[in-house]
Amino acid sequence: MAVAAITENYVGERLDRVENFHGNQVLYVGWDHHLMFCAPVAFAVPPDAPFSKVLEELIPGAFSLHPEFGEIDWNQVEWHLNAESFTPDTNATLAEQGIDHKSILRFATPGLDGLKGSGS
Amino acid sequence: MSNKKLNMKDKYRLLTRDLEWEFSYRDRKEIFPQEDFEGIKITDWSKWEDPFRLTMDSYWKYQAEKEKKLYAIFDAFSQNNGQQNVTDARYVNAIKLFLTGVSPLEYQAYSGFAHVGRQFGGVGARVACQMQSLDELRHVQTQIHAMSHYNKHFDGFQDFAHMHDRVWYLSVPKSFFDDARSAGPFEFMVAIGFSFEYVLTNLLFVPFMSGAAYNGDMATVTFGFSAQSDEARHMTLGLEIIKFLLEQHEDNVPIVQRWINKWLWRGYRVLTLVAMMMDYMLPNKVMSWQESFEVYFEEAASSLFKDLARYGIEMPPYAADAIAEKEHLSHQAWSIFYNYGHAAAFHTWMPTAQEMDWLSEKYPNTFDKYYRPRFEKWREMEEAGERYYNPTLPMLCQTCQIPMGFTDMENPTMTSYRQSVYDGERYNFCSNGCKDIFDHEPEKYVQSWMPVHQIFQGNCGGPEMEDVLGDYYRINLGVDNLDFKGSPDEARWNGWHNLQSAEDKLKKAS
Amino acid sequence: MSKVYIALQDNEESHYIVEAIEEDNPDVTVIYQPAMIRIECEGHMVIKRETVEEKMGRDWEIPALHVNLITLGGNVDEDDDQLSLTWNN
């Protein structure tokens, strides 16, 4: 029983199925230990966009106001996709490297510990 | 033969038991079609006890007395221009959040109790629900009346009902109640009678209202206390229904335990808003969120669960998670609203230096270590004329719908992420509690109306965020939203008190 | 032992009720907070109609408590003469 309901075998409407996003899918991105950004952010982005779009447009648009942003060494960044360790391919599309609808992409920047080392 | 007046117990017996009749030509199941599907077994409705044994005559008499007192204070407040005598105009923003976020829940409670009051097979339960339904209607009305006075003098009050149904952060309390009302009648009683009344309203209506009094807001403290006096009855009823269900059949125990686990967590998550109201929105401080939480959540819950232990009910596993967060919750909540202050129908601000010192003193283990550095950075940006607003939309939890601003308590600067895959689709959560609730009834929560996703789907107007905020939410942009500093509210307040804003002072000096 | 509690609005009438509670329950702790009075006690507390009437110098019924009540904690038992709060743990 997937819900207690008066109707037998009740099935709920999936409000956020990918078809509802007009060709986009939802991607969440979080910068670990940088809580000046209060929560991970959400983007609507086409599945056939290259990863470079995330790297060059979406991430700077969301996180560049942080004083440590300019100091990031992108070759040293540690990525996680849905909690699994991940190595992005800049030229491949999101779909090609398994970044699907409502996936969580996290990046960690060891050595950059947030404002005054506070994780902010 | 005695001609003594009927005593309370006899009157109550006459009011309830003797109102019931036998159904002779219809099947009971047709009359009470929602009584079975949740799996709850009732063997004898006559065992239902209302501890207050409230009868209609004393109900009307004392409710009328409460109303008279209440409206005398509202009148005095408005005749004395009470809005000018609150400690600080920033405070009024807590009241805006109250009107948009909480008062509509009172209306939902009214509607919900009217519904379940029809569904129960026992007359005692039906009468109790009917009275509670009336109480809830009284609460929403008195709250709107009280706050309508502020609407004459401050921005952000004008469209509360419209906003409640649409604005992103108001989907948190709204979806909490939608969840309860779309459950069966027994779960609704546990959800609202127990979680809402016992856990939520006590924290909102007692320490916060005492704080309102301390900030000069006699109208709010009075409607708050007046409502809570009804809630005291409702809490007692909530406890009674739990005991009644547990005593009726042993098969009810695991069902009730699961509902308690779920609704304690759901209620606690809604309290996130109250946490920041306590610590950040009351200029004169009475007690911190943590202190109120310890008295009205930890202490009250431990007494309650010790009392329920004899039925085999245990403290919900998530209580420990809630307790672990008490030194973080309000700061994380205020960070969210400060980030998205352009998208809120009330003003936000950075605490003053003195207020930050108070936070350091009240939260010695967390404030300076984790939160002060980001607050000081934001203050610095504001002073440079670049007040920080987060330019994106936040990721939300599928269950509580709060932006994912909560962290792992063993690693407090790491966002707490949880994920489930159901029927081929990913769903994301802020906590074990929210994930478990989804996993148990996924067909319910796949339907969550997630404000950020709805914006992306184009269901909230657009194409620009300003269109969503202005046209769809009906926030008066540049008036209701943004920082308190520089707001029309601030300008009016300063005008009443012949105060100059800091900016004007600087201009004159140069 | 868990603490039962009752909170009353801080006003003239409540002061008599608090006096009566203190007399009938010598172990209570009375805490004054802005606009409210919180009274707590280990395990059990009782409010007796007769004592309140004596303090007020007039008739008073137990349901009139609701007019000044803010909140309470504990299992409630109410009849014409008293209202009690109890935790059996």
Side-chain angles (χ1 to χ4, degrees):
Chain A
M1 187 173 66
V3 64
I6 316 172
T7 317
E8 263 183 66
N9 302 317
Y10 177 89
V11 176
E13 184 188 349
R14 276 104 179 106
L15 241 53
D16 291 328
R17 60 185 198 279
V18 71
E19 295 78 34
N20 292 355
F21 289 83
H22 311 289
N24 289 323
Q25 65 180 28
V26 176
L27 172 65
Y28 304 113
V29 181
W31 182 4
D32 287 356
H33 305 294
H34 284 77
L35 294 173
M36 178 177 136
F37 311 103
C38 63
V41 300
F43 299 106
V45 55
D48 57 2
F51 193 82
S52 56
K53 182 182 167 80
V54 176
L55 214 51
E56 287 156 23
E57 279 178 43
L58 303 184
I59 286 181
F63 302 111
S64 63
L65 281 173
H66 198 287
E68 288 180 345
F69 189 80
E71 296 171 40
I72 299 174
D73 175 354
W74 290 95
N75 296 316
Q76 297 299 311
V77 164
E78 293 168 5
W79 297 92
H80 282 86
L81 176 64
N82 297 314
E84 306 273 330
S85 185
F86 177 67
T87 309
D89 176 345
T90 317
N91 300 316
T93 68
L94 303 184
E96 280 164 0
Q97 49 199 316
I99 303 176
D100 55 9
H101 185 43
K102 293 196 274 172
S103 278
I104 301 170
L105 186 66
R106 281 167 40 210
F107 65 101
T109 50
L112 300 178
D113 301 322
L115 304 165
K116 294 181 183 162
S118 69
S120 281
Chain B
M1 191 171 136
S2 157
N3 62 355
K4 186 175 165 278
K5 265 174 58 182
L6 286 173
N7 70 28
M8 204 185 268
K9 282 180 186 170
D10 293 334
K11 272 200 220 168
Y12 178 73
R13 185 180 47 76
L14 287 170
L15 171 73
T16 57
R17 303 302 182 273
D18 297 349
L19 268 181
E20 188 64 297
W21 66 88
E22 291 300 317
F23 306 109
S24 55
Y25 59 94
R26 286 285 184 188
D27 182 27
R28 245 191 103 81
K29 283 205 164 155
E30 270 185 295
I31 297 166
F32 302 109
Q34 297 191 11
E35 226 181 56
D36 299 325
F37 80 93
E38 298 171 271
I40 289 291
K41 293 174 181 158
I42 304 295
T43 52
D44 183 2
W45 271 111
S46 76
K47 292 285 192 297
W48 172 277
E49 271 291 331
D50 186 339
F52 283 115
R53 301 190 183 93
L54 192 63
T55 55
M56 286 322 280
D57 58 342
S58 67
Y59 178 77
W60 293 124
K61 179 176 166 190
Y62 290 109
Q63 293 303 88
E65 233 177 276
K66 285 186 197 173
E67 293 283 86
K68 277 184 210 153
K69 281 183 67 175
L70 185 56
Y71 278 85
I73 290 169
F74 290 171
D75 289 345
F77 187 78
S78 67
Q79 285 159 9
N80 287 301
N81 280 320
Q83 79 282 354
Q84 297 192 8
N85 301 325
V86 297
T87 40
D88 181 339
R90 291 180 305 165
Y91 161 77
V92 177
N93 291 286
I95 305 308
K96 297 176 192 176
L97 190 51
F98 197 103
L99 181 66
T100 52
V102 179
S103 299
L105 301 186
E106 304 274 17
Y107 191 80
Q108 288 228 50
Y110 147 71
S111 189
F113 277 102
H115 167 72
V116 298
R118 166 64 185 80
Q119 296 301 330
F120 289 131
V123 67
R126 291 207 299 273
V127 168
C129 288
Q130 187 186 28
M131 285 188 200
Q132 182 157 350
S133 173
L134 293 172
D135 287 340
E136 306 294 358
L137 190 58
R138 174 176 104 84
H139 298 171
V140 64
Q141 288 173 340
T142 54
Q143 287 167 23
I144 294 167
H145 269 143
M147 289 181 272
S148 68
H149 180 72
Y150 282 112
N151 182 44
K152 297 173 192 165
H153 304 282
F154 294 90
D155 299 315
F157 287 94
Q158 67 281 358
D159 254 330
F160 70 95
H162 176 92
M163 287 179 180
H164 185 73
D165 289 336
R166 297 180 179 217
V167 175
W168 60 278
Y169 56 90
L170 300 175
S171 81
V172 174
K174 179 184 165 66
S175 62
F176 168 91
F177 241 101
D178 286 347
D179 189 353
R181 283 183 58 200
S182 54
F186 291 107
E187 185 178 347
F188 176 85
M189 284 300 287
V190 173
I192 305 308
F194 165 73
S195 163
F196 189 64
E197 307 287 354
Y198 225 100
V199 182
L200 255 161
T201 65
N202 233 356
L203 267 153
L204 180 58
F205 284 98
V206 186
F208 176 76
M209 289 302 169
S210 183
Y214 201 48
N215 283 278
D217 186 358
M218 281 323 293
T220 297
V221 62
T222 311
F223 82 64
F225 284 169
S226 187
Q228 191 61 22
S229 70
D230 296 344
E231 316 288 13
R233 230 184 319 109
H234 305 165
M235 276 163 42
T236 308
L237 186 68
L239 182 54
E240 284 305 309
I241 185 136
I242 287 177
K243 288 194 284 188
F244 172 73
L245 295 178
L246 297 171
E247 282 167 8
Q248 284 291 305
H249 203 287
E250 62 182 2
D251 290 355
N252 295 344
V253 176
I255 302 174
V256 171
Q257 176 78 60
R258 189 171 47 72
W259 287 341
I260 288 177
N261 296 353
K262 168 182 172 179
W263 288 100
L264 183 99
W265 185 253
R266 293 287 271 125
Y268 165 72
R269 270 293 182 246
V270 175
L271 281 175
T272 303
L273 296 174
V274 184
M276 74 173 198
M277 284 161 72
M278 290 289 298
D279 280 344
Y280 287 88
M281 302 178 88
L282 292 175
N284 277 357
K285 315 290 187 190
V286 180
M287 63 205 293
S288 68
W289 163 253
Q290 183 183 345
E291 287 162 337
S292 337
F293 180 85
E294 284 166 355
V295 176
Y296 290 99
F297 187 97
E298 282 186 69
E299 208 178 281
S302 99
S303 312
L304 178 70
F305 285 102
K306 273 193 240 161
D307 199 64
L308 295 174
R310 73 190 121 114
Y311 300 103
I313 291 289
E314 291 167 5
M315 180 76 102
Y318 317 125
D321 298 344
I323 291 165
E325 285 181 357
K326 66 186 175 187
E327 295 177 82
H328 294 271
L329 190 71
S330 64
H331 319 305
Q332 296 184 344
W334 193 244
S335 297
I336 293 171
F337 281 92
Y338 189 82
N339 263 237
Y340 292 102
H342 51 306
F346 60 89
H347 300 299
T348 48
W349 56 86
M350 263 303 102
T352 63
Q354 197 188 0
E355 286 165 347
M356 285 208 220
D357 290 345
W358 181 82
L359 291 163
S360 300
E361 184 198 317
K362 289 293 179 183
Y363 294 96
N365 301 319
T366 56
F367 187 74
D368 287 352
K369 192 170 172 190
Y370 301 115
Y371 301 101
R372 185 185 275 273
R374 83 176 74 148
F375 285 11
E376 288 180 347
K377 171 68 184 167
W378 287 334
R379 172 161 300 285
E380 203 181 284
M381 290 172 77
E382 183 192 313
E383 283 165 357
E386 291 163 352
R387 198 278 197 197
Y388 175 65
Y389 292 108
N390 192 318
T392 61
L393 300 182
M395 175 182 184
L396 309 177
C397 168
Q398 183 78 20
T399 303
C400 70
Q401 305 194 11
I402 299 175
M404 298 262 299
F406 306 108
T407 57
D408 179 351
M409 286 300 115
E410 279 163 20
N411 186 2
T413 62
M414 184 63 212
T415 305
S416 167
Y417 292 96
R418 298 289 182 278
Q419 193 176 70
S420 296
V421 175
Y422 175 69
D423 194 21
E425 191 170 327
R426 294 182 195 281
Y427 295 91
N428 297 294
F429 312 96
C430 69
S431 54
N432 291 334
C434 283
K435 176 176 156 52
D436 291 349
I437 291 165
F438 176 94
D439 288 346
H440 188 77
E441 288 188 292
E443 289 297 337
K444 187 169 201 179
Y445 301 97
V446 295
Q447 304 172 71
S448 297
W449 192 91
M450 304 271 281
V452 169
H453 295 169
Q454 290 298 316
I455 292 169
F456 286 154
Q457 291 181 29
N459 297 334
C460 304
E464 299 305 320
M465 268 315 289
E466 289 205 340
D467 304 321
V468 173
L469 300 174
D471 298 336
Y472 185 74
Y473 289 174
R474 291 197 203 150
I475 295 174
N476 286 327
L477 299 178
V479 176
D480 299 340
N481 63 342
L482 304 180
D483 204 281
F484 176 72
K485 273 205 191 118
S487 67
D489 268 7
E490 184 197 38
R492 267 190 303 272
W493 176 263
N494 288 345
W496 297 340
H497 296 94
N498 297 317
L499 296 172
Q500 280 181 322
S501 76
E503 209 174 331
D504 289 347
K505 272 186 206 162
L506 278 173
K507 273 189 205 145
K508 286 207 177 130
S510 60
Chain C
M1 184 70 84
S2 298
K3 276 183 199 159
V4 297
Y5 67 87
I6 188 165
L8 300 171
Q9 297 184 36
D10 188 352
N11 60 30
E12 280 304 313
E13 226 175 50
S14 295
H15 294 163
Y16 295 113
I17 302 170
V18 174
E19 249 183 76
I21 295 174
E22 283 181 297
E23 185 168 308
D24 291 327
N25 308 269
D27 295 331
V28 294
T29 310
V30 182
I31 304 159
Y32 290 85
Q33 286 169 342
M36 62 178 268
I37 310 166
R38 182 182 158 103
I39 307 140
E40 48 183 47
C41 193
E42 301 249 319
H44 181 79
M45 184 191 313
V46 63
I47 299 158
K48 293 183 181 163
R49 179 178 54 80
E50 214 174 5
T51 320
V52 177
E53 286 183 335
E54 190 189 299
K55 300 291 172 198
M56 287 184 177
R58 62 171 170 84
D59 288 348
W60 183 79
E61 344 177 276
I62 293 287
L65 185 68
H66 288 281
V67 176
N68 302 307
L69 176 70
I70 298 169
T71 185
L72 49 77
N75 287 299
V76 174
D77 182 60
E78 185 188 26
D79 63 31
D80 292 283
D81 298 319
Q82 58 91 43
L83 181 141
S84 71
L85 298 169
T86 311
W87 286 128
N88 296 312
N89 57 62

